[in-house]
Amino acid sequence: MSAPNTAPAQQHRHREASVPDSVGLTFPRLVRSEWIKLRSIRSTVWCFAILVLLTIAMAVLLGAVVDQGTDPLPQDAVNGSFVSLNTASVSLTALVVGVLGVLIITGEYGTGQVRSTFTADPGRTGVILAKAFVLALATFVVSLVSTWIGVVVSAVLQAGKDVHPELGDPSVWMPILGASVYVTLVALFAYGIGLLVRSSAGGIAITLGIFLVLPVILSIFTQLVQAQWVADLAKFLPSTAGGELYSYAWAGSGAQQGVVLNGWGGFAVFAGEVVVIGAAAIAVARSRDV
């Protein structure tokens, strides 16, 4: 009898011994991998380009068109108007990043690349969180930069009409900053929906339904039944609660009925909904086959 061939086993052990200890599956490496994938997807470039174009174009257009008239307005009105014209595009850009949030995960399911992704990280949680981190960071930075470009240009245009908002006032710059936070949360919410349903068409339909259709349905229902609890429920919708992030707090505004959310309250509600959707998506992704 011939001796068993132990060369393959010896070569395997040699390869294991030659791998440096520094090589391993770490979160920074997962983030780097997901960043490469994100910027390589054509839909990412298009969605972010549309976001930048809409944000800057709306701010510049409204900054050039909006005229406060010849009579001087209270500073509170000037500040509120300036916040409104620089956040007018949020309802549109939120839908754009909502589509992107769905596509960056459902696209992998559609092409089958998700098998390689989950093979690299069998636990799946790390790579899911890395993708969410890259999506959130890229969306926030792109939205923030484009928003403040619009702010600077619109401020110059309004100054030409003798309108001078107080940009250093927290009541002005915090809602403008909140617009970028809201857009980022929308992207993460849509990402969670996409991970749950694993379908581009289904994920986009559900996301748009939650942000466009559901508020209209609750509004109609509120008018029909005249019930305060329905109006209070509507305030916890992602679009309504998140909308408080970029709403200007008017001084001396009258008391509101029912549940009242300010910017921080709206952020807490919307962020909590994002966490719940994300946790459910991770649990489902870990328990089912690809």
Side-chain angles (χ1 to χ4, degrees):
M1 295 178 62
S2 59
N5 186 6
T6 60
Q10 292 175 351
Q11 292 175 0
H12 179 70
R13 286 195 296 269
H14 176 72
R15 284 196 299 269
E16 286 183 340
S18 63
V19 176
D21 294 336
S22 60
V23 176
L25 188 66
T26 62
F27 188 73
R29 287 193 173 96
L30 289 173
V31 168
R32 181 183 179 187
S33 173
E34 291 304 323
W35 166 243
I36 293 173
K37 285 193 285 187
L38 180 69
R39 59 187 172 90
S40 302
I41 302 173
R42 190 175 302 173
S43 58
T44 302
V45 178
W46 280 107
C47 287
F48 281 154
I50 294 173
L51 185 154
V52 172
L53 179 62
L54 283 175
T55 303
I56 297 178
M58 288 284 286
V60 172
L61 177 62
L62 293 176
V65 171
V66 172
D67 193 344
Q68 307 291 349
T70 56
D71 296 333
L73 294 176
Q75 190 63 49
D76 189 47
V78 172
N79 292 343
S81 175
F82 186 76
V83 170
S84 296
L85 67 88
N86 279 284
T87 57
S89 63
V90 174
S91 58
L92 298 176
T93 57
L95 299 180
V96 174
V97 299
V99 172
L100 175 63
V102 171
L103 291 180
I104 68 163
I105 183 62
T106 57
E108 289 202 35
Y109 278 101
T111 60
Q113 186 181 3
V114 72
R115 295 186 178 89
S116 301
T117 299
F118 288 160
T119 299
D121 180 20
R124 302 186 180 183
T125 302
V127 71
I128 291 172
L129 293 178
K131 190 184 291 290
F133 176 79
V134 170
L135 172 65
L137 183 61
T139 302
F140 180 75
V141 170
V142 172
S143 175
L144 185 69
V145 171
S146 56
T147 297
W148 282 94
I149 290 175
V151 167
V152 172
V153 177
S154 63
V156 172
L157 293 172
Q158 288 288 287
K161 301 177 182 181
D162 200 26
V163 177
H164 303 281
E166 297 175 331
L167 294 179
D169 191 333
S171 66
V172 174
W173 62 261
M174 284 193 69
I176 296 175
L177 176 64
S180 298
V181 176
Y182 172 75
V183 168
T184 303
L185 290 176
V186 171
L188 290 176
F189 187 91
Y191 170 65
I193 295 294
L195 184 58
L196 276 172
V197 302
R198 300 187 295 180
S199 166
S200 296
I204 292 173
I206 293 172
T207 300
L208 296 185
I210 291 174
F211 284 90
L212 291 179
V213 180
L214 194 55
V216 175
I217 293 175
L218 283 181
S219 177
I220 295 174
F221 192 65
T222 300
Q223 294 177 5
L224 291 176
V225 301
Q226 295 294 318
Q228 184 60 44
W229 69 269
V230 180
D232 290 340
L233 179 63
K235 294 178 182 179
F236 289 92
L237 290 176
S239 57
T240 308
E244 296 295 333
L245 279 166
Y246 57 93
S247 297
Y248 181 78
W250 293 91
S253 57
Q256 302 180 31
Q257 294 182 347
V259 176
V260 178
L261 296 176
N262 57 14
W264 289 109
F267 170 75
V269 170
F270 193 15
E273 292 168 343
V274 170
V275 170
V276 170
I277 291 294
I282 291 175
V284 172
R286 286 173 55 89
S287 62
R288 68 187 175 193
D289 295 333
V290 176

